[in-house]
Amino acid sequence: MSHQLALITGASSGIGATYAKQLAARGANLILVARDAARLNALAQSLRDEHGVEVNVLAADLTHHADLQKVDREIHENTRITMLVNNAGMTVEGEFIEGDIAQIQTMLTLNITALTQLAHSAAQVFRARRSGTIVNIASVLALVSESANSAYNASKAYVLSLTRNMNRELVDSGVRVQAVLPGLTRTEIFERAGKSINDLPAEMLMEVDDLVSAALSGLDAGELVTIPSVEDISLWQRYDEARIAILPYISLNKPASRYLS
C-alpha cells in the first residue's frame, strides 16, 4: 500500500485516528483532517517515526464552510490522493424532540452535508482516474428506529443509502466504495455527547482497533456494506433480500386493496 495516499476526516481520535494507524502500518501515506491541530500533529509525528510514512496535517472544522472548501480543494487538486475515509461525525445528547435544534443542525451539517460534498468530489476525481477508494462511516443505527437520537439515526441511514447509490453509479469505474456500520465502539463520541462510556454494556462495546481491523478486512474482501460485529452474514443478506423483494410493489397505479372501500 506504499503508493496509497489516504485522506482521513475526524482523524484526531477514535475511529479516524485508528484508521490512520492501521493504514500507516500497511505503508499508506496520509493526510489527517480534524479540528485539533495539536493532536493531529502529535499523531502525525508518531506515525512518521513508527512507520516511516509521509503524513500531512490539514486542520479544519468541517461544519465551517471555508474549512470544508479547503479540504474539498485538497481532494480536487492533490492528484496523489487515492483514498477518502469519510469518518468525521458527531452525535448529540438526548432525544430528538427535546434536543437542542442548533446542536442537531450542526450534527447534520457534519454527518450529512460535509460527508456528501467530500464523497461527491472524491467520486468525481477517482472516476476520472478510474481508480480510488471511498469509505463512508455510517452506523448500525442506520438500521434502527427504536433507540438513540432519531436525527442521528437518520443521518447514518442517509450515509448508507448514499453509499449504495454511489456504488451503483461507479460500477465498472475502477472506484471501490464501502459503508462501514459500527456498533457501540470505545471512542470519545459518547463523552462529547455528554454520556459515559462506562454506562454501556461491556458485551456490546467493541474496541476501536478491532472495529477498524474488521472494516479494512471487509474492504479487502470487496464488501459494499461492512457490519463488523455480525457473525452470521446470512442475517444481513436476508434483511437486504427482504428490502429488495418489496421494490416491485412500492410504486403502482392503484392503491393496495386494504385502502379501497
Side-chain angles (χ1 to χ4, degrees), residues 97-222:
I97 296 172
E98 297 299 326
D100 182 326
I101 190 60
Q103 290 184 357
I104 291 170
Q105 288 171 330
T106 298
M107 176 185 71
L108 297 178
T109 298
L110 184 59
N111 291 8
I112 294 180
T113 305
L115 178 141
T116 300
Q117 181 167 337
L118 299 184
H120 183 262
S121 294
Q124 287 188 328
V125 168
F126 294 165
R127 183 171 62 179
R129 297 179 198 156
R130 299 199 61 78
S131 179
T133 301
I134 301 169
V135 177
N136 292 327
I137 306 300
S139 167
V140 294
L141 292 175
L143 311 177
V144 176
S145 303
E146 293 80 11
S147 64
N149 184 290
S150 56
Y152 176 80
N153 295 21
S155 76
K156 293 305 183 176
Y158 172 88
V159 175
L160 176 59
S161 181
L162 178 72
T163 307
R164 285 181 178 276
N165 277 281
M166 287 177 62
N167 185 68
R168 176 185 57 81
E169 293 187 55
L170 291 168
V171 67
D172 298 326
S173 70
V175 181
R176 294 187 301 170
V177 183
Q178 179 196 31
V180 179
L181 278 60
L184 296 175
T185 310
R186 192 180 299 278
T187 68
E188 295 177 3
I189 193 171
F190 298 101
E191 280 74 15
R192 289 176 179 173
K195 304 174 184 177
S196 173
I197 202 166
N198 297 321
D199 295 336
L200 302 174
E203 67 274 11
M204 296 179 67
L205 188 64
M206 186 174 290
E207 298 298 328
V208 68
D209 285 329
D210 292 336
L211 168 72
V212 174
S213 179
L216 288 172
S217 294
L219 181 65
D220 293 340

Side-chain angles (χ1 to χ4, degrees), residues 18-39:
T18 306
Y19 262 100
K21 294 171 186 175
Q22 294 196 17
L23 288 172
R26 292 180 171 211
N29 299 316
L30 305 170
I31 300 173
L32 306 181
V33 178
R35 293 177 300 172
D36 193 331
R39 291 182 76 173

